[in-house]
Amino acid sequence: MPDIQTTLERLLSEAVAKAFGNEFADADPILRQATNPKFGDYQANLAMGLAKRLNQKPRDIAEAIKEKLPIGDVLTDAQVAGPGFINLTLNPDLLASQLAAMFKSDRLGVAVADPPMKVVVDYASPNLAKEMHIGHLRSTIIGDAIARILEFQGQHVTRHNHIGDWGTQFGLLLEHLIETGWANSTDTSISDLNVLYKEAKVRDDTDPAFAERARKRVVDLQSGDPQARKIWEQLIVESIRHMNQVFSCLGVKLTDDDLKPESFYNDRLPGVIEAIENAGLIRDCEGAKVVYVEGFFNKEGEPLPMAVKKADGGFGYPATDLAAVQYRVKDLQADRVVYVVDSRQKDHFRQFFKIAADVGWLTSGAELVHVGFGTIMGLDGKPFKTREGDTVRLADVLNEAVDRASKVIADKAPDLNAQEREEIARVVGIGAVKYFDLSNYRIKDYVFDWDRMLALEGNTAPYLQNAYVRIRSIFRKGEVDPSTLTGGGDGGGGADAIKLEHEAERALALQLLQLPRIIQSVADSLEPHRLCTYLYELASSFHKFYEKCPVLAADTDARRDSRLTLCDLVARTLKQGLELLGINTVERM
Ligand code: ARG
């Protein structure tokens, strides 16, 4: 069954065609949910746009469209208002039967993509050899949410964790480890590596001879030097172990099977450079091979080259990304490649996307998308740092989240035992951090604010998790097993049919039925905050409904069942929605 908005859009375009001819049927119906139930359920604002094309008054156009709208199964009323809005009132039987279908569907009425697209999602992708820090949070959780949502749609999703295991940082580290003798140690931990990396960085910045030796080490590594290789492998094993620990704590779905490190592309680099060369795009620049992409300039306003091969023979970040495009689009035949990476890298992506297009790798119609995001700021309005001014370790943030959530839970539900509290605090604390990030429009910077993210009121994970808990407790209290509800049987018209008598019930129904559209819009825009806003509004509509409409104490069994069915739909939608964001729910809190 098509969703409500799709049905309305079809009726409107048919009405336009009848009123003005088929050539106008493509007009965007500009359908919005009505803000006030007095004006019906939806408002169509297409008359204003058509006014120019038809050279008529919007109000007359709206009247003409209205005349052609059928009143019956779908609409019970259509009214023209203001300068030419068309207010639409839906037939409650249609809403009830759509809700019944949603209730019976284990996908809550969300259709499966047909045909599915092949999508590669490149996310997390930290540079190894350092501990993961706050700067790795956004890509990891935004990418994970996007991958989950696309997968839920039925797209064929391949996750790529494009870890930086091959770049200049390894030159520094290798050289420093060899010179200090640390290279002989077999149990260097990630925190050792953190310290060693900092030391190496200082030497790199202050000692040009060291910097030169370090550059050479990268070339050694990339050309297969056994000593460099061996030390490097140990570093990688330890870094991956640490990374997996953070992922597991975050509840992120990446596994070792998703690793597609920069080093994976090493063998492909010469061929890739050749292909770019053959396309006539490469210029020599002081020994390096570079590509000038139109429209990119340095601070002095000179054309800005992208180096695909360095003067010392090494390959860098751009070359690897070009090889990765080729692999993803040509070998894996991806239709869409999504890069979830800090917005500060936007020019890098625009440049190599253009090169890939110019070389002819995108002729299949494959789409490359950079999903950028802003910076996490501290309460002082500067990039988030520790009090001492150091980078914030991700592991520390996650531990603090659980500790803080534990206090919130202890205040809220003092009767829980320590173990229960610990488990719940984990779900609530980690969920709060993730949701706070995801609920912000990703392009913007946001301020990392513990109090706001853990608040039990407002657009937060704890608020939504708590709404879920409340509904579950209604069922416990009433000793009702939701699976005994039927939503009114096939077609929704049976004895325990969903009844939308109260304004708050109707508002809740309309909100529930938007889920398929929301999922689609998140998948198209790759903006998870849209799902957050939806879930928050759903929980808010639920609370209004719950205030106005007694559920267990409803005056008839039929009303009670109908309201319980609505409650269950809200609970399942919240649970599913949060899961798509990578956030769990609990039964009590
Ligand atoms: N490792 C890179 C960094 O930390 C991010 C990689 C993103 N993915 C990509 N294909 N460039 O900045």
Side-chain angles (χ1 to χ4, degrees):
M1 203 186 327
D3 63 67
I4 300 266
Q5 288 103 316
T6 307
T7 306
L8 289 178
E9 283 166 3
R10 179 178 55 79
L11 290 183
L12 284 160
S13 93
E14 283 168 8
V16 172
K18 278 191 199 136
F20 302 107
N22 280 330
E23 63 273 36
F24 296 98
D26 63 346
D28 178 353
I30 318 188
L31 202 56
R32 304 262 178 280
Q33 229 188 312
T35 41
N36 184 336
K38 265 205 299 234
F39 305 128
D41 301 314
Y42 279 90
Q43 188 170 71
N45 296 347
L46 74 177
M48 291 69 172
L50 280 169
K52 255 210 193 101
R53 280 171 75 187
L54 288 160
N55 197 19
Q56 292 182 26
K57 281 204 209 87
R59 192 153 172 123
D60 296 343
I61 297 173
E63 285 291 350
I65 298 171
K66 188 205 103 172
E67 284 310 311
K68 303 291 179 198
L69 282 170
I71 298 301
D73 294 348
V74 177
L75 293 171
T76 53
D77 193 23
Q79 292 294 333
V80 174
F85 307 123
I86 309 173
N87 292 335
L88 305 165
T89 305
L90 290 158
N91 188 332
D93 292 343
L94 175 76
L95 295 178
S97 70
Q98 295 256 356
L99 284 173
M102 179 174 180
F103 182 74
K104 272 185 220 76
S105 149
D106 53 11
R107 303 177 49 78
L108 293 163
V110 177
V112 180
D114 180 27
M117 279 209 276
K118 270 201 186 155
V119 190
V120 172
V121 186
D122 175 330
Y123 70 103
S125 307
N127 288 333
L128 295 191
K130 283 179 276 183
E131 269 181 290
M132 287 185 77
H133 55 77
I134 190 78
H136 295 123
L137 183 70
R138 302 209 72 185
S139 173
T140 307
I141 63 187
I142 296 171
D144 204 53
I146 287 175
R148 285 168 188 252
I149 290 162
L150 295 173
E151 212 156 45
F152 180 68
Q153 271 200 318
Q155 317 293 3
H156 290 171
V157 174
T158 306
R159 294 171 167 77
H160 277 186
N161 185 3
H162 187 88
I163 48 176
D165 65 341
W166 210 227
T168 46
Q169 80 268 31
F170 281 93
L172 300 184
L173 204 49
L174 284 175
E175 186 58 29
H176 186 58
L177 288 173
I178 291 169
E179 290 183 20
T180 55
W182 267 94
N184 304 320
S185 152
T186 48
D187 58 354
T188 312
S189 71
I190 190 78
S191 22
D192 296 332
L193 287 177
N194 235 17
V195 175
L196 288 161
Y197 181 79
K198 273 193 198 131
E199 292 171 5
K201 190 81 186 100
V202 171
R203 292 183 70 187
D204 184 54
D205 291 339
T206 53
D207 176 357
F210 174 85
E212 184 51 35
R213 293 198 295 279
R215 297 286 99 83
K216 285 222 181 69
R217 288 286 175 197
V218 187
V219 181
D220 287 351
L221 174 67
Q222 297 188 347
S223 54
D225 173 76
Q227 186 200 17
R229 252 339 248 240
K230 192 165 158 253
I231 308 169
W232 172 79
E233 262 157 29
Q234 288 171 3
L235 302 181
I236 297 303
V237 169
E238 171 60 9
S239 301
I240 291 180
R241 186 199 58 75
H242 163 73
M243 180 180 70
N244 284 339
Q245 212 170 24
V246 173
F247 286 167
S248 137
C249 182
L250 267 175
V252 159
K253 279 193 168 182
L254 287 166
T255 70
D256 286 353
D257 294 339
D258 305 314
L259 287 173
K260 276 285 172 287
E262 289 184 4
S263 61
F264 170 82
Y265 299 100
N266 194 41
D267 298 342
R268 296 174 160 259
L269 298 175
V272 164
I273 305 306
E274 203 179 295
I276 303 173
E277 204 143 34
N278 291 342
L281 299 175
I282 290 199
R283 304 278 169 273
D284 280 318
C285 175
E286 293 165 22
K289 287 182 190 292
V290 306
V291 181
Y292 285 95
V293 181
E294 221 179 289
F296 288 87
F297 303 97
N298 64 15
K299 283 192 208 84
E300 283 73 45
E302 297 150 359
L304 184 72
M306 179 174 233
V308 292
K309 190 169 182 180
K310 300 182 196 165
D312 64 11
F315 298 98
Y317 190 48
T320 309
D321 258 322
L322 284 160
V325 174
Q326 195 204 35
Y327 174 70
R328 292 162 178 179
V329 174
K330 292 279 170 199
D331 297 39
L332 302 184
Q333 307 206 319
D335 301 303
R336 201 178 188 200
V337 186
V338 176
Y339 298 82
V340 187
V341 186
D342 195 311
S343 291
R344 284 172 291 195
Q345 293 192 29
K346 123 173 148 263
D347 283 352
H348 165 74
F349 286 98
R350 281 168 48 203
Q351 277 179 300
F352 83 77
F353 286 0
K354 179 77 170 66
I355 298 175
D358 290 348
V359 180
W361 289 334
L362 305 181
T363 45
S364 61
E367 185 198 9
L368 308 178
V369 203
H370 174 208
V371 171
F373 51 80
T375 305
I376 305 183
M377 310 301 259
L379 288 170
D380 59 1
K382 300 200 193 101
F384 193 32
K385 290 268 161 67
T386 65
R387 241 177 253 135
E388 294 72 37
D390 292 325
T391 359
V392 179
R393 300 187 316 161
L394 199 41
D396 291 343
V397 170
L398 302 180
N399 286 336
E400 182 164 353
V402 176
D403 284 350
R404 285 179 181 259
S406 181
K407 296 201 185 81
V408 173
I409 304 299
D411 287 346
K412 184 173 180 304
D415 50 323
L416 292 167
N417 68 40
Q419 193 200 334
E420 283 173 316
R421 190 170 68 219
E422 156 95 40
E423 278 165 24
I424 297 169
R426 192 154 284 286
V427 173
V428 172
I430 302 294
V433 171
K434 293 175 91 173
Y435 189 89
F436 195 64
D437 189 301
L438 292 166
S439 61
N440 279 286
Y441 177 41
R442 60 175 163 71
I443 300 296
K444 293 206 177 148
D445 299 344
Y446 73 85
V447 174
F448 196 89
D449 184 339
W450 286 116
D451 292 336
R452 279 185 55 210
M453 70 182 79
L454 282 158
L456 287 160
E457 291 302 328
N459 187 10
T460 66
Y463 172 71
L464 297 179
Q465 288 165 325
N466 197 32
Y468 176 81
V469 164
R470 275 190 168 180
I471 300 175
R472 300 293 297 149
S473 77
I474 297 172
F475 283 91
R476 275 199 300 275
K477 200 164 146 211
E479 295 177 7
V480 182
D481 173 357
S483 69
T484 59
L485 300 167
T486 74
D490 282 331
D496 52 357
I498 298 168
K499 286 169 214 32
L500 304 171
E501 298 157 334
H502 196 284
E503 203 176 87
E505 290 175 309
R506 194 182 178 96
L508 184 57
L510 286 165
Q511 185 68 16
L512 280 165
L513 290 172
Q514 297 210 21
L515 180 69
R517 274 296 174 108
I518 294 296
I519 299 288
Q520 187 62 48
S521 98
V522 178
D524 293 341
S525 63
L526 305 170
E527 288 174 358
H529 77 278
R530 297 182 187 215
L531 179 55
C532 298
T533 307
Y534 168 77
L535 294 175
Y536 176 57
E537 284 171 359
L538 178 65
S540 310
S541 305
F542 171 76
H543 284 131
K544 279 187 204 130
F545 151 83
Y546 194 59
E547 256 167 44
K548 302 263 166 57
C549 305
V551 177
L552 293 174
D555 52 358
T556 66
D557 283 355
R559 274 206 185 102
R560 178 182 124 121
D561 282 355
S562 164
R563 289 177 182 168
L564 280 168
T565 308
L566 287 174
C567 287
D568 186 56
L569 267 172
V570 174
R572 284 167 56 202
T573 306
L574 287 174
K575 188 180 171 75
Q576 178 68 71
L578 287 170
E579 197 178 302
L580 293 177
L581 298 169
I583 297 168
N584 290 331
T585 40
V586 285
E587 292 298 309
R588 288 162 209 273
M589 66 186 259

